Amino acid sequence: ITAFSLLTGCDQFLDAKPDQKLVIPSTIQDLQGILDSYLRVNQYEPSAVVVSSDDYYLSDMDWSGLAKEVYRRMYVWEENNLFEAGTGEWSYCYDNVFRSNTLLDNLDKIAVASNEQASLENLKGQALALRARSFLKIASVWTLAYEETSADTDLGIPLRLSSDFNIPSERSTLRETYDQIISDLKEAIPLLPVAQIHVLRTSRPAAYALLARTYLFMGKYSESARYADSCLQLYDKLIDYNSLNASASYPIRQFNEEVIHSTRMFTPSYLANSRAKVDSLVYRSYHPDDLRKVVFFKSNNNGTYGFKGSYEGSASLFDGIATGEVYLIRAECYARNNRVKDAMADLNQLLIHRWDNTNVFVPLRAETQSEGLELI
């Protein structure tokens, strides 16, 4: 009798109709909530680009003591490196692609009041920008660098453009990958406001900066400079590093005035500044009067240095968009297009905000394209 009652209860449970409001977004607020998941949308950018970089090193003991085999393999560029079960920066990125597609697939299914049209456009712009950002991050980690001559044959990434998970995934070409990123961003830009209620949401300047970054990756410097300029025309604030407490554990606060769009990397514990040692050549490259030398780095009191300059105000690594990057993108692209004077004006505008004001800043000069690029 007890078993029969349990089976009957199961049948009744399975026959029950779910509340569709719990699973199907029906308002603009529901859709915005999909993109406002701070934990997933803004905090899980892949750290593989840093883990496998050469700007830092680990001691043999720290490397061999890594808890996860995946990070030991990533650090040394192991050929058959694969993510372990339950982890995966690839899946974190595609989770955001799925969020974007879910929103885009449901935009035309909700009732919108006449005064909500701007909010609807804003939502669509945010979703397109998030998908583009995710595709660009995936491509920057898991594909070859973009080369115009081989972009039609080099493998790109799976371009998931629907929330329907029954559609098989196929790898695109590298050109198709970058074309999709550019298309999404260009569609998003006119839909986005110049300023959002918070930098956790993508704004128009942020989308311009992402487009500038995309074209820089492609080696298309005229286009990159154009969109970096479009960004800075709308937002160009820089922090005066003289206003920071360089002796603080993390001198630069989160959501500071340089941040255009805030995202952070999923940061493994071994990238903490007590273990990840900054390459000495990088540290020594800073001028003694350049405050970045003391704002970005801390001494380990043994001849090595750790990084403390994250724009997250913590050990987590900033991976968003800040004006400093956009100035450097525009400066580099100006130099590559032989606009050396304009390039140096951008570089000096950045440096004067980084220089110890107890000493006179002497603007850097370059006479040739190669000199300008070397300085930048």
Side-chain angles (χ1 to χ4, degrees):
I1 294 173
T2 302
F4 178 77
S5 299
L6 288 172
L7 289 172
T8 302
C10 289
D11 287 340
Q12 291 172 345
F13 174 77
L14 292 172
D15 286 341
K17 302 301 182 185
D19 183 350
Q20 294 298 307
K21 292 180 181 178
L22 296 178
V23 294
I24 298 177
S26 58
T27 68
I28 283 182
Q29 291 72 27
D30 292 340
L31 293 175
Q32 184 65 66
I34 294 173
L35 299 184
D36 282 346
S37 176
Y38 173 56
L39 177 64
R40 290 293 184 180
V41 174
N42 299 89
Q43 292 198 88
Y44 274 77
E45 295 297 275
S47 59
V49 289
V50 173
V51 171
S52 55
S53 78
D54 60 0
D55 288 336
Y56 81 103
Y57 64 93
L58 297 174
S59 68
D60 289 344
M61 182 174 67
D62 282 339
W63 177 79
S64 60
L66 294 179
K68 289 186 177 291
E69 176 70 14
V70 62
Y71 291 126
R72 287 196 295 274
R73 289 172 173 264
M74 194 182 297
Y75 178 82
V76 296
W77 289 54
E78 183 70 37
E79 186 178 66
N80 61 344
N81 169 47
L82 293 173
F83 291 114
E84 298 169 340
T87 69
E89 296 182 345
W90 173 276
S91 66
Y92 297 156
C93 291
Y94 274 105
D95 177 64
N96 279 337
V97 172
F98 180 73
R99 287 175 184 276
S100 303
N101 289 334
T102 298
L103 189 147
L104 293 168
D105 289 348
N106 283 278
L107 274 178
D108 60 352
K109 299 176 183 178
I110 62 171
V112 180
S114 58
N115 62 348
E116 291 182 313
Q117 189 60 39
S119 297
L120 189 71
E121 292 180 355
N122 185 1
L123 268 173
K124 184 176 181 180
Q126 290 177 60
L128 288 164
L130 175 59
R131 187 169 70 183
R133 187 189 95 200
S134 301
F135 283 159
L136 182 62
K137 188 61 63 175
I138 297 164
S140 70
V141 177
W142 287 288
T143 71
L144 296 174
Y146 186 92
E147 292 286 348
E148 186 66 31
T149 55
S150 58
D152 288 317
T153 53
D154 288 338
L155 285 173
I157 67 173
L159 295 172
R160 301 293 302 182
L161 303 178
S162 168
S163 59
D164 183 357
F165 53 80
N166 294 299
I167 300 174
S169 292
E170 296 181 3
R171 288 188 72 172
S172 64
T173 67
L174 202 54
R175 187 183 303 281
E176 289 169 338
T177 294
Y178 277 87
D179 283 349
Q180 184 63 52
I181 293 166
I182 291 168
S183 174
D184 279 351
L185 288 171
K186 286 186 175 180
E187 185 178 355
I189 284 169
L191 302 174
L192 291 167
V194 172
Q196 296 279 16
I197 63 171
H198 200 283
V199 291
L200 292 173
R201 295 182 183 175
T202 309
S203 62
R204 190 180 304 170
Y208 276 134
L210 276 172
L211 201 47
R213 187 188 285 175
T214 301
Y215 278 121
L216 181 70
F217 287 179
M218 299 174 74
K220 297 189 176 184
Y221 303 115
S222 295
E223 293 90 341
S224 181
R226 181 184 310 128
Y227 289 108
D229 181 68
S230 295
C231 171
L232 293 173
Q233 290 294 328
L234 296 176
Y235 193 87
D236 64 354
K237 291 184 180 179
L238 289 169
I239 300 171
D240 182 352
Y241 274 25
N242 289 278
S243 67
L244 302 176
N245 177 9
S247 63
S249 297
Y250 298 100
I252 308 172
R253 66 176 177 84
Q254 188 183 31
F255 308 139
N256 64 74
E257 56 265 41
E258 283 192 13
V259 174
I260 302 172
H261 182 52
S262 181
T263 60
R264 67 168 64 171
M265 292 182 184
F266 179 79
T267 310
S269 60
Y270 72 86
L271 288 179
N273 55 27
S274 60
R275 301 176 73 182
K277 314 295 192 301
V278 174
D279 186 276
S280 59
L281 292 174
V282 173
Y283 177 76
R284 292 200 302 267
S285 70
Y286 289 86
H287 189 282
D289 291 332
D290 190 335
L291 290 172
R292 290 177 296 180
K293 196 164 191 173
V294 289
V295 169
F296 285 175
F297 308 111
K298 79 172 187 74
S299 172
N300 292 321
N301 300 315
N302 60 5
T304 68
Y305 294 85
F307 177 72
K308 64 172 186 175
S310 173
Y311 274 36
E312 283 293 308
S314 69
S316 296
L317 295 178
F318 178 79
D319 192 46
I321 299 165
T323 49
E325 177 194 357
V326 186
Y327 270 101
L328 287 170
I329 289 176
R330 190 171 70 175
E332 177 181 346
C333 292
Y334 279 164
R336 291 187 182 278
N337 289 320
N338 213 27
R339 295 175 59 179
V340 180
K341 184 177 178 180
D342 292 331
M344 298 312 297
D346 272 349
L347 184 59
N348 287 321
Q349 175 68 3
L350 177 66
L351 286 179
I352 199 169
H353 286 81
R354 308 299 193 241
W355 215 255
D356 186 343
N357 62 13
T358 62
N359 296 303
V360 176
F361 172 67
V362 179
L364 301 185
R365 298 180 60 186
E367 300 298 329
T368 65
Q369 180 187 64
S370 60
E371 289 175 356
L373 284 172
E374 179 67 22
L375 287 170
I376 294 164

